[in-house]
Amino acid sequence: MKILFLGTPDFAVKALDKLISCGYDVVGVVTQPDKRRNRGELSFCPVKEYAVDKGIKVYQYDSIRREGVEDIKSITPDVMITCAFGQIISQEILDIPKYGVLNIHASLLPKYRGSSPIQWCLINGEERTGVTIMKTALAVDSGDILLQKSLDIFPDENAGELFERLAELGGEAIVEALKIIESGNAEFIKQDESLATHYPMISKEDGLIDWTSTAREIYNKMRGFTPWPSVYTYLDGKLFKILKSQVFDGDMNIGVTAGSVYATKNSAFVKCSKGVLQLLQVQLEGKKAMDIASFMASGKLKSEMVLGK
């Protein structure tokens, strides 16, 4: 079975590596164009780095719909696999492979359609998620489902940690899906549109903390935004990142204003609309990340201050 793999970030590398290690014939890889970083130097995406190291031919297009059709026709792949590729594929391309185009999506569809499913399931406090192998359709993440695999989310897990586990699960799932197709027993099930949820791409600006949220909501947002872009507030007009925190379960009277601080020599607590958030690791604009005890020694955070103003 000739496979053409389409992907860009680290998440996709795990699936590609699993296909290679299981002996599948990956005849080419399609990734996003190289980007210029640091003094204009070209930087390869993780999937291209992996493919070059393995000697797999790499194709790159600003728009696969406009530029890639003839190349893909000449490759004659039996199946195409997409994983966090980052471009929309035309119907003309979807019709080329014998077994269609399969997509690895990091949620239990139809929930969490969109480009940031891992982050949003943590932000929303989900306790379970997984990966879906579906047949790619023109509408985003709407294709018929071949296979799903799920896992429990650990209570304190952040997006970076969950990313790694789901990437591994995605590799296992796509290999299992290919075996089902090869056996001739593939059954694709339509998604229930009434259960579909859509979430947008995460941006840096989304990390701003609203202290009128509950402590649990802010904590879950921190989990979803770790390691990138992180959540932040303002301290004396300077950007103040909350890198680690926990919901404080004890009783504490901090005042009436959301964002109010109660400080001790080695710790800091912030009032939310419901509950209290205990700060564990922070980073003030222009400074390095510090555990809260070290930061409190600087004297920059004191009781009765209000964060965000």
Side-chain angles (χ1 to χ4, degrees), residues 11 103-108 112 116-118 121 129-132 166:
F11 187 86
N103 177 249
I104 306 169
H105 185 74
S107 82
L108 297 176
Y112 295 100
S116 304
I118 297 173
C121 77
T129 187
V131 295
T132 299
L166 286 174

Side-chain angles (χ1 to χ4, degrees), residues 22-75:
C22 289
Y24 280 97
D25 184 18
V26 179
V27 295
V29 161
V30 183
T31 74
Q32 297 278 35
D34 300 332
K35 294 184 177 180
R36 292 196 177 276
R37 309 180 192 272
N38 300 333
R39 301 178 183 178
E41 296 178 0
L42 281 177
S43 174
F44 292 177
C45 71
V47 166
K48 181 175 179 178
E49 287 185 354
Y50 178 91
V52 169
D53 182 64
K54 295 294 184 180
I56 303 170
K57 186 171 177 59
V58 176
Y59 302 84
Q60 294 175 279
Y61 311 107
D62 289 316
S63 171
I64 191 172
R65 292 177 292 174
R66 294 195 302 268
E67 305 163 18
V69 175
E70 294 308 315
D71 283 341
I72 295 171
K73 285 181 178 178
S74 69
I75 294 168

